[in-house]
Amino acid sequence: MDNRVFESAAERTFQYQSALPPLPVPGLEDSLNKYLDAVKPFSTEEEFRRTSVLVKEFGEGMGKDLHQTLLQRAKGKRNWLEKWWLSSAYLEVRMPSQLNVNFGGPAPYLEHCWPAAEGTQLPRTSLVVWHTLQYWDLIRTERLAVHKAGNTPLDMDQFRMLYCTCKVPGIATDTIHNYFRTESEGDCPSHVVVFCRGRVFTFDGVRDGRILTPPEILRQLTHIREACEREPEGPGVAALTTEERTRWAQAREYLIALDPQNRATLETIQSSLFVISLDEARPYSTPDNYTNVTLQALTGDPTVRWGDKSYNILCFADGTFGSNCDHAPYDAMVLVSMCFYIDQKLKASGGQWKGSEAVRDVPRPQELVFKVDTKVREDIALAKLQYRQSVSLFITSCVRAPVCSSLLV
């Protein structure tokens, strides 16, 4: 596909944001009628009659006052609903995020140019990471084409949340930390974080103002893989992100109190562009059946993905790929747009790097070592146990559900 579909020199990615119309407040009568339409299929005649009476009373009484309150709120906000929705649907929810809130699934690359194959994980990952960095650069320099419905520009704000974004747990409510900046706004983090065998590493995706090439990224990933193969597994602190939100918040506070370096490590993970998960699973999916890779994306190894990150690239040992993303910062179509971009680029190159094989003198990856004690290890073990139990229930419920079971055959 022509590159101009993705890039635009005539328009900047976020140039229409301030000109977008505010979110309108639906009419009270329209909302009440839609509510009745929604409950009617699930009500008996008598139940629906009583419900209609209550709705009429509400519309003529308290509903009018509440509707005026909404209209007043909307006068001072571009989006009167956003903060409420974000809080009630995501940030105040206390159940574990990974299986209940996050979205994930397979990448399409195996269908077009990369069938599952041994020995391909790192070379393919290096190319996917390079394209992902290129997409970040399009957004950072505001060259990503504005999405439109016909000639009408759409809201592009959620693209800011794809990179350098992380949800941070709180005792009562979580918060979203976003470190992304466009080039005109200032400095933006450019490091990535890699999880492998319960250990954590980081390296910068940019050197001397230029994005690392796939051969340079491959060398960094090779250093990490070799270190993990010759040394013991790490503690798998990432498993704590699968916990119930308040318990994860408490475990996080304990980690920070245990050693100041733990706070710095958490900050490095939170501010990173994205997480690269070197997963040892081999889903061996095919274009005709994405079941196994989808299941791994949703329920895979919790020690090699950070459940609160806006984007975990899941790189499986058989050379297939998936993703797992916190849902709070953005909707899935943002990720779909990026994956489509990468898929088109891989198809155009036949899944091969056709540039220079030269490798610059780039600093080796740095390992991020959490200071842990007996309590932290026990917390991790409990989180992993609960996660496995939840995964088992998740799979069982899917098998029993008519729609899901058709996907698991």
Side-chain angles (χ1 to χ4, degrees):
M1 183 174 289
D2 194 302
N3 194 47
R4 285 174 295 181
V5 171
F6 303 108
E7 289 190 43
S8 172
E11 298 174 319
R12 291 180 293 107
T13 305
F14 304 111
Q15 79 174 67
Y16 298 113
Q17 290 303 114
S18 62
L20 293 173
L23 182 70
V25 178
L28 177 60
E29 188 174 346
D30 289 342
S31 296
L32 297 180
N33 287 336
K34 286 181 179 178
Y35 173 74
L36 288 174
D37 288 342
V39 300
K40 188 172 185 178
F42 307 99
S43 308
T44 64
E45 250 183 68
E46 176 57 23
E47 287 171 337
F48 186 71
R49 186 193 66 77
R50 283 190 282 114
T51 299
S52 299
V53 170
L54 291 172
V55 167
K56 186 173 185 294
E57 291 175 356
F58 176 82
E60 294 174 348
M62 184 187 298
K64 286 184 177 180
D65 296 332
L66 293 175
H67 187 66
Q68 288 303 312
T69 301
L70 282 183
L71 292 174
Q72 194 63 34
R73 175 182 173 84
K75 286 181 180 179
K77 296 182 180 296
R78 297 284 309 270
N79 189 324
W80 59 270
L81 178 62
E82 184 176 38
K83 186 176 179 180
W84 285 346
W85 173 250
L86 185 62
S87 295
S88 61
Y90 298 110
L91 301 183
E92 294 174 359
V93 173
R94 297 293 85 194
M95 68 176 117
S97 289
Q98 281 201 45
L99 293 176
N100 299 289
V101 177
N102 286 24
F103 63 85
Y109 320 135
L110 72 88
E111 185 166 337
H112 300 136
C113 53
W114 281 350
E118 289 297 317
T120 62
Q121 182 188 36
L122 297 191
R124 289 179 178 180
T125 297
S126 67
L127 194 51
V128 167
V129 169
W130 183 76
H131 282 301
T132 305
L133 290 170
Q134 296 296 322
Y135 198 77
W136 162 70
D137 190 58
L138 286 179
I139 300 174
R140 176 157 160 73
T141 57
E142 296 193 72
R143 292 178 293 122
L144 182 68
V146 178
H147 291 200
K148 296 182 179 182
N151 293 320
T152 303
L154 301 177
D155 192 339
M156 297 293 288
D157 189 62
Q158 287 192 4
F159 282 86
R160 288 177 163 277
M161 312 300 280
L162 179 57
Y163 297 96
C164 306
T165 303
C166 193
K167 185 168 66 182
V168 175
I171 299 300
T173 186
D174 299 343
T175 55
I176 295 176
H177 291 210
N178 176 251
Y179 307 78
F180 173 82
R181 299 291 181 273
T182 64
E183 203 170 53
S184 63
E185 292 169 341
D187 294 336
C188 178
S190 56
H191 64 282
V192 298
V193 163
V194 183
F195 284 85
C196 182
R197 294 190 176 184
R199 295 166 67 179
V200 194
F201 300 82
T202 186
F203 63 87
D204 207 300
V206 177
R207 178 68 168 170
D208 297 329
R210 290 164 49 208
I211 290 173
L212 300 191
T213 65
E216 291 168 342
I217 296 169
L218 176 59
R219 188 175 69 172
Q220 301 291 68
L221 297 176
T222 301
H223 286 321
I224 292 170
R225 168 54 59 78
E226 290 175 348
C228 291
E229 287 178 345
R230 66 174 178 263
E231 297 165 8
E233 290 189 9
V237 172
L240 293 174
T241 66
T242 68
E243 260 285 15
E244 186 269 344
R245 300 307 295 175
T246 298
R247 287 200 297 270
W248 166 213
Q250 293 166 337
R252 183 178 181 275
E253 288 180 354
Y254 183 85
L255 267 176
I256 291 171
L258 186 64
D259 192 294
Q261 188 56 43
N262 286 344
R263 180 189 291 276
T265 297
L266 287 166
E267 182 73 12
T268 300
I269 295 170
Q270 290 164 193
S271 61
S272 64
L273 285 167
F274 48 85
V275 161
I276 302 167
S277 169
L278 296 183
D279 198 310
E280 296 188 321
R282 291 171 167 80
Y284 287 117
S285 292
T286 69
D288 298 321
N289 190 338
Y290 279 83
T291 298
N292 291 338
V293 69
T294 301
L295 197 59
Q296 283 296 326
L298 293 172
T299 66
D301 184 354
T303 69
V304 293
R305 58 183 72 177
W306 197 261
D308 292 340
K309 275 301 284 184
S310 56
Y311 184 34
N312 292 270
I313 305 177
L314 309 179
C315 314
F316 297 110
D318 62 0
T320 57
F321 294 84
S323 61
N324 190 282
C325 312
D326 176 44
H327 206 329
Y330 65 91
D331 293 317
M333 284 310 299
V334 172
L335 185 72
V336 168
S337 298
M338 186 194 67
C339 287
F340 178 69
Y341 165 86
I342 295 174
D343 192 45
Q344 296 302 307
K345 296 297 183 181
L346 291 175
K347 284 171 66 177
S349 68
Q352 302 295 319
W353 169 245
K354 297 183 179 180
S356 171
E357 295 295 328
V359 175
R360 292 171 288 172
D361 183 19
V362 178
R364 286 195 174 203
Q366 172 193 358
E367 183 164 10
L368 304 174
V369 180
F370 280 103
K371 171 72 174 179
V372 300
D373 62 6
T374 301
K375 181 184 183 311
V376 175
R377 292 189 185 93
E378 290 174 350
D379 287 345
I380 293 169
L382 178 61
K384 290 164 70 173
L385 173 63
Q386 291 173 161
Y387 179 76
R388 286 194 293 268
Q389 292 172 340
S390 297
V391 166
S392 179
L393 288 172
F394 173 81
I395 294 173
T396 300
S397 63
C398 277
V399 169
R400 289 175 177 171
V403 174
C404 290
S405 60
S406 67
L407 300 175
L408 296 177
V409 295

